[in-house]
Amino acid sequence: MFQGSSDRPVNTDDLKKLKYLECVIKEALRLFPSVPFFARTICEDCHIKGFKIPKGANAIIVTYALHRDPRYFPEPEEFRPERFLPENSVGRPPYAYIPFSAGLRNCIGQRFALMEEKVVLSSILRKFTIQSLQTREELQPIGELILRPEKGILIKLERRETS
């Protein structure tokens, strides 16, 4: 992941180079968004596919389903981080992928959250290999305030050989 066998902490320059790890994180958030749905109040009358939605109505945005739209994510159940490489994201509407909500009420900490995930994952991956001990089907996600696996996630960490 990083050149050499340094034990130094990851720095900002390292994080900028971890493009594929960022794609992995985004794909994981596509399949399992931390917040699987959120609500918004409609601010003005609008029409969606021939239906009038009145001002004041509540709309529920189900990111878990939105992120599985095959128009924007072919074979949506497949884990494919390459979807988020710049050349593969061209033409995708900005609201097709909203793991941190969108618009005026989006998560103000989303950049920090992505950076934090890259720091933690890169630090772990420098020292360990990770193996899942469950299939995706065994995770049984539960959509409450946050999306979480019903019984947690079992993994195996194995220390990497140091050179």
Side-chain angles (χ1 to χ4, degrees):
M1 183 169 288
F2 300 116
Q3 300 274 327
S5 60
S6 171
D7 278 338
R8 70 170 174 76
V10 62
N11 64 38
T12 306
D13 290 334
D14 297 327
L15 294 177
K16 290 176 186 173
K17 296 173 186 171
L18 298 174
K19 303 289 187 197
Y20 191 76
L21 181 59
E22 187 169 323
C23 292
V24 168
I25 292 167
K26 287 179 176 180
E27 179 70 345
L29 286 171
R30 182 187 71 80
L31 286 167
F32 300 106
S34 303
V35 179
F37 59 89
F38 55 91
R40 293 291 182 264
T41 301
I42 304 299
C43 297
E44 59 187 50
D45 289 349
C46 62
H47 289 82
I48 301 174
K49 295 197 173 197
F51 293 94
K52 180 182 178 186
I53 312 298
K55 175 181 177 177
N58 290 320
I60 306 293
I61 294 84
V62 184
T63 49
Y64 188 89
L66 177 70
H67 290 171
R68 286 167 166 74
D69 187 331
R71 292 175 298 175
Y72 309 116
F73 303 104
E75 298 184 66
E77 292 299 329
E78 296 294 317
F79 183 80
R80 293 188 184 155
E82 298 78 15
R83 297 177 203 270
F84 291 96
L85 291 171
E87 62 269 22
N88 296 333
S89 299
V90 174
R92 183 181 304 138
Y95 294 106
Y97 175 74
I98 53 171
F100 297 99
S101 185
L104 296 174
R105 295 196 53 205
N106 72 344
C107 174
I108 62 171
Q110 65 184 300
R111 288 174 53 94
F112 176 75
L114 286 172
M115 182 176 60
E116 185 178 45
E117 286 183 75
K118 283 167 70 170
V119 168
V120 170
L121 287 171
S122 64
S123 298
I124 292 169
L125 291 169
R126 286 172 84 181
K127 297 182 179 177
F128 299 94
T129 59
I130 303 172
Q131 178 185 355
S132 175
L133 300 178
Q134 298 159 292
T135 65
R136 209 166 102 190
E137 293 72 31
E138 292 172 317
L139 293 179
Q140 299 173 351
I142 296 175
E144 295 173 338
L145 178 59
I146 60 165
L147 188 68
R148 65 178 184 81
E150 183 180 38
K151 297 176 184 169
I153 300 173
L154 300 174
I155 60 170
K156 176 182 174 184
L157 295 175
E158 202 167 296
R159 186 167 289 282
R160 291 182 179 273
E161 296 293 323
T162 55
S163 51

